[in-house]
Amino acid sequence: MTDAEPSLPWEKGLEGRWRRILSSAPTRGPVSWLVEFLVFGLKQAWACVFGGALLAVIFAARLWYPSDALLARNDFLTLAAIAIQIVMIATRLETWRELRVVILFHVVGTVMELFKTDVGSWTYGGDGILRVAGVPLFSGFMYAAVGSYLVRVYRLFDLRFTRYPRIWLTAVLAGAIYLNFFTHHYIWDLRWVLLGLVVVVFARSVMHFRVFRRTYRMPVLVAFALVALFIWFAENIATFSQAWSYPDQEGGWQLVSVAKLGSWFLLMIISVVLVTWVYPPRAPDAAAPGGLSSQSR
């Protein structure tokens, strides 16, 4: 856990329990790497608990929610999302400090949803009363789920960075990216220029993350791409569950265009800048050269 945020009871207890279970595992060889992989997967799953729970509810509602229920499916999804968020805070899976970022993700995402649905980028079903200008309120929670994942993964993996760009520069870049999501409908689409700027700004930045006994290093750009790919997979599940639809899915579901990966990659910059409001980037205790590798800790 980071020094900036005290360990949460559930996470502290789970980490202590797993450390006791795995303490007898070899420190070298294939078994040690298998243990690291197992812990990495468990931590990722734990970081995704908000998004995973919401996605599971969306998928389950697609399969089993009655079409003639008094409560519209979209309203049910909104109430379920609110319940998940309440549980996250009540059980201290999230801190009140982190909730600020999650709420900000919700607001930023909802504003984008209102605009994008108005210009026809995607559409939602027409049922339900818990909506604003045709956008169901649960849509903002999908952005909040990304925020929840990022703040939790920051804490669970004790993220540190070398050669992280200036915060003001990343904020300006994030603002330009967010603005382009709106303006490209009326003027030139600058996403390729912005992607190039992201590569230039973050090219030398390296992320350090602790798994179990080792701390690993990965270029920040690679981390952005992997998270964008993961979100794209989740987006396919959500559109298959008819949470929303893109124009090319109106006649029947098909995979979301891989071009959306670029949008999610750019959205990662906005997301990371919002997270730095709670967790300013910190240098590792002992900085190591960049590149994908590992070191004992």
Side-chain angles (χ1 to χ4, degrees):
M1 307 298 173
T2 64
D3 297 333
E5 186 72 38
S7 300
L8 301 184
W10 282 50
E11 290 167 2
K12 184 177 180 180
L14 284 174
E15 183 173 7
R17 183 176 303 174
W18 277 105
R19 284 191 173 277
R20 287 192 297 271
I21 293 173
L22 300 173
S23 60
S24 60
T27 58
R28 297 180 182 277
V31 175
S32 70
W33 291 105
L34 180 61
V35 168
E36 292 288 324
F37 181 75
L38 172 64
V39 175
F40 177 82
L42 289 171
K43 283 189 173 184
Q44 285 287 346
W46 191 237
C48 292
V49 64
F50 186 168
L54 182 58
L55 193 61
V57 170
I58 290 173
F59 186 72
R62 168 70 173 88
L63 295 178
W64 297 302
Y65 198 75
S67 58
D68 58 350
L70 293 178
L71 182 66
R73 189 178 72 147
N74 283 348
D75 290 345
F76 166 77
L77 293 177
T78 298
L79 295 177
I82 293 172
I84 293 170
Q85 184 64 82
I86 291 173
V87 170
M88 293 286 291
I89 291 298
T91 58
R92 295 199 62 193
L93 292 178
E94 279 179 359
T95 66
W96 287 102
R97 183 184 180 195
E98 291 168 347
L99 182 62
R100 293 182 302 177
V101 174
V102 173
I103 292 174
L104 189 56
F105 269 82
H106 197 299
V107 173
V108 168
T110 299
V111 170
M112 186 183 296
E113 288 286 322
L114 290 170
F115 176 82
K116 289 292 190 178
T117 54
D118 184 63
V119 297
S121 295
W122 55 79
T123 57
Y124 291 90
D127 57 339
I129 60 173
L130 300 178
R131 57 176 53 238
V132 176
V135 177
L137 295 182
F138 78 82
S139 64
F141 284 97
M142 293 185 289
Y143 294 88
V146 176
S148 176
Y149 167 78
L150 289 175
V151 294
R152 287 170 59 74
V153 83
Y154 197 110
R155 184 177 66 245
L156 289 169
F157 287 92
D158 192 16
L159 298 188
R160 309 294 178 99
F161 301 89
T162 53
R163 296 185 292 275
Y164 194 87
R166 300 282 187 180
I167 295 297
W168 69 265
L169 180 58
T170 63
V172 170
L173 184 56
I177 290 170
Y178 189 68
L179 188 62
N180 188 69
F181 279 123
F182 298 87
T183 59
H184 82 84
H185 291 279
Y186 307 107
I187 58 175
W188 301 286
D189 187 353
L190 300 177
R191 75 181 65 193
W192 293 110
V193 174
L194 292 169
L195 280 169
L197 290 175
V198 169
V199 171
V200 170
V201 170
F202 286 92
R204 300 175 64 247
S205 184
V206 177
M207 181 180 71
H208 302 242
F209 56 101
R210 177 174 60 85
V211 178
F212 180 45
R213 290 185 176 126
R214 296 179 175 89
T215 295
Y216 299 81
R217 300 190 299 273
M218 177 185 294
V220 168
L221 289 174
V222 174
F224 289 165
L226 291 175
V227 176
L229 180 62
F230 178 81
I231 295 174
W232 181 78
F233 286 136
E235 184 180 36
N236 276 283
I237 296 174
T239 55
F240 175 78
S241 303
Q242 297 179 350
W244 73 91
S245 298
Y246 290 107
D248 60 354
Q249 295 175 325
E250 294 295 333
W253 182 82
Q254 56 183 303
L255 281 175
V256 175
S257 170
V258 294
K260 288 292 181 182
L261 284 170
S263 298
W264 285 117
F265 184 87
L266 289 174
L267 185 67
M268 284 304 304
I269 310 303
I270 301 173
S271 304
V272 168
V273 169
L274 293 178
V275 171
T276 58
W277 180 38
V278 168
Y279 291 130
R282 302 173 64 203
D285 294 332
L292 184 60
S293 59
S294 66
Q295 63 188 35
S296 299
R297 179 172 182 178

